[in-house]
Amino acid sequence: MKSFNSILAAMLVLAGFSCKSTTKWEGQGPIQIIPTESRAIEKQVKQTYFVGDQVYFSNEFEGARLNGAEKVNDTLYRVLILPENEPINPSPWYAFKVWSERAQTFWIEFTYSENGFHRYFPKISNDGNQFSNVDSLNFMLPKVQEGRPKEAYLKVTSSPDTLWIAAQDLVGTVDAETWKDKLAEQSFVERIEIGKSTEGRKLEVLKIGEADDREMLMVISMQHPPEVTGYLAMKSFVETICEDSPESRAFRKKYNLYLMPQMNPDGVANGHWRHNAGGIDTNRDWVNFNQPEPKALAAFMEKKVADTGGEFVFAADFHSTWEDIFYTINEDLEGNMPGLIPKLIKRSSKRIPGYDPNIRPTETNERSVTSNSYFFFVHGAESMTFEVGDNTPRDLIKQKGEYTARELMRLLK
Ligand SMILES: [Zn+2]
């Protein structure tokens, strides 16, 4: 049996991507301007599937994604995972619970819509809170079509105790709220509600700092629900800025950091692959502003600038993709602090032995539909999309977030 990593490597090579350190991944192609008026989404039916032999599968929790479950035979059960609507970027999120009245060992077959394929290496948890990678011996991707695995098989042992199975740690809902509560206990953190999502969830910005608003920073994450690794890098970045150290305290006296960690709360709560409750990729809506999330944040930033006469000097949007990559602005263009981003990536990367950052500046000089482009072209903020690989080790993610914050504080001193 091939290991997941070798299959993933084969998959990326077949898909035209390279994971060899000698040739860098070229990242996504140019981003098209697409209509962003709301489109219908199909809501998954929230239910517990009793599939026979006293085995249960359930999607009855926030962030779940499970569209069907059935028994194939005594040692095989099949689950169906569907997107909220199509066309959609291939990021098939799944999350569900399994239990049985007596202990049983069986395989679970993951199946997807016609254009879907398996992407995320499964994580399991006994409490819905602490997740870990499954043992690779219990996981198979036997059939690869056009470079992508069509189905996946995971061996589990169920019991009366609930087992959670998910594409990544379930951090987008409860964990994110707990984390924000904890941050907000500090005197220099303030919560600001800037609007509501389509389903009425709070859109919230945290103000971190005790400065005037002459020079401001903006950080966002989780426009795309499954992008947990980017969220973890953002957390590490923000926690470093919030430290009780002379450097962080001085930084917070000079700059206010505005943070929107949950850019798409509806998408996360509904276990979406990519879109918000309006069925749209919010990171294609930063010109049209048809969706409440980008619209509220842009209005907040523009009002801040108008009210204070200050400016945003730095912005980062944290995401996840196949491999670590930084999407930056064309280096010929100058914002409010020319050269800040290339210097920052270079210096923070240097602190990680053997790490050679993959940096992809935009080739055109024109504004596009992403947040990164909005931050730069409208606000002059030196801006980047900070992409973390789906399988980047967690300690490296933490280091990257931390070192980026430390070098940023040094550069902005
Ligand atoms: Zn993304």
Side-chain angles (χ1 to χ4, degrees), residues 228-238 318 386 388 397-398 400-402:
V228 166
T229 57
Y231 170 83
L232 296 175
M234 176 282 298
K235 261 175 101 169
S236 169
F237 173 89
V238 169
F318 287 81
F386 191 123
V388 181
I397 294 175
K398 210 158 178 262
K400 287 181 74 173
E402 180 194 327

Side-chain angles (χ1 to χ4, degrees), residues 28-34 274 281 283-284 327 362 367-370 385 387:
Q28 298 172 333
I31 290 170
Q32 307 296 325
I33 295 192
I34 52 162
R274 180 83 171 180
D281 180 343
N283 206 26
R284 303 293 178 268
Y327 293 114
T362 51
R367 184 175 167 193
S368 89
V369 293
T370 63
T385 306
E387 296 265 11

